[in-house]
Amino acid sequence: MLSLSKRRCDTLPEEIDGCEIDAGFRTILMILRLLNEQEDGIMAALEDALHFFYVDEQPEDALDKMFDFIRGGEEPEDGDEPPRMDWEFDAAEIYADFLAIYGIDLLESTMHWYTFLAMLGGIMAREGALSSKVHTRFMDLKGLKGKELLDAQRAKDKVQIPEKLTLEELEAEAQTAQAYEDEWGSI
């Protein structure tokens, strides 16, 4: 993902295979929300996502390359692990921490997705609203009893992420839909 030894255009790409992309963090978050909501079905959501991501033309395997970019070069997460955070559910804490720690108002900022991810990693390594929420979400309740257990369980329940598809599940669903359309055409 982020490299200090590479040139900026290699570290913070603005194109994929010669095709210009919108690499802004807000665009990527909008794409993830769009894919999770899928109001008009997965194929319509995928078409919209590709339209928002690629400025003009799209490379071969545009969908795979978009998901690779969104993951920031990281390998897909193990499907057995619950997600540590959710972009929408944890938005207030992300916003508050960017403002408190970096002095960046995310509602006003334009920043590259990879810059956003690197700064988010710094936030997770500090004590703040987001790391506190994530810590509570994964708190070990063993050894707690009585009122202490009840209070801890209530706090934990309050910060649990509502059921949504993970990036890997979205990608798998998108590839299945794309394969179906390639084989049978669109409906």
Side-chain angles (χ1 to χ4, degrees):
M1 180 173 66
L2 193 64
S3 170
L4 299 177
S5 65
K6 293 180 182 176
R7 297 176 312 175
R8 184 185 189 285
C9 63
D10 293 332
T11 300
L12 300 175
E14 301 287 338
E15 64 178 41
I16 295 176
D17 292 348
C19 299
E20 186 180 353
I21 60 172
D22 184 342
F25 80 96
R26 196 172 285 109
T27 299
I28 304 305
L29 294 176
M30 179 187 60
I31 288 169
L32 292 171
R33 187 184 74 235
L34 178 73
L35 293 173
N36 255 303
E37 292 172 355
Q38 299 180 25
E39 292 173 3
D40 296 326
I42 185 66
M43 289 309 293
L46 289 171
E47 286 177 28
D48 288 344
L50 291 170
H51 171 75
F52 290 125
F53 185 67
Y54 293 102
V55 175
D56 289 318
E57 50 187 293
Q58 299 175 11
E60 273 192 48
D61 299 326
L63 193 59
D64 291 336
K65 290 175 181 172
M66 180 183 72
F67 280 115
D68 288 344
F69 178 87
I70 291 172
R71 273 197 303 277
E74 300 288 322
E75 290 297 316
E77 291 182 11
D78 181 11
D80 296 337
E81 288 292 316
R84 298 198 59 73
M85 54 170 270
D86 178 84
W87 302 112
E88 294 293 324
F89 187 69
D90 297 327
E93 291 79 12
I94 294 169
Y95 177 81
D97 282 350
F98 265 85
L99 195 56
I101 294 169
Y102 300 120
I104 295 173
D105 183 340
L106 289 177
L107 298 177
E108 303 295 325
S109 177
T110 57
M111 104 178 47
H112 194 281
W113 176 243
Y114 290 178
T115 303
F116 176 80
L117 289 178
M119 294 177 89
L120 185 66
I123 285 172
M124 292 301 290
R126 294 177 169 212
E127 189 62 38
L130 182 60
S131 62
S132 176
K133 189 175 187 181
V134 171
H135 174 75
T136 302
R137 191 172 287 152
F138 290 93
M139 179 181 1
D140 185 5
L141 303 180
K142 293 177 189 158
L144 300 179
K145 294 181 181 171
K147 183 172 174 7
E148 190 178 29
L149 175 61
L150 185 59
D151 289 346
Q153 187 60 57
R154 282 186 183 146
K156 194 171 178 172
D157 290 345
K158 190 175 180 179
V159 298
Q160 291 306 309
I161 298 172
E163 283 289 319
K164 281 187 176 180
L165 296 176
T166 65
L167 180 59
E168 289 70 29
E169 291 168 331
L170 286 170
E171 186 175 9
E173 189 172 321
Q175 289 174 346
T176 300
Q178 185 67 51
Y180 178 87
E181 189 170 279
D182 291 348
E183 179 73 24
W184 301 99
S186 65
I187 297 174

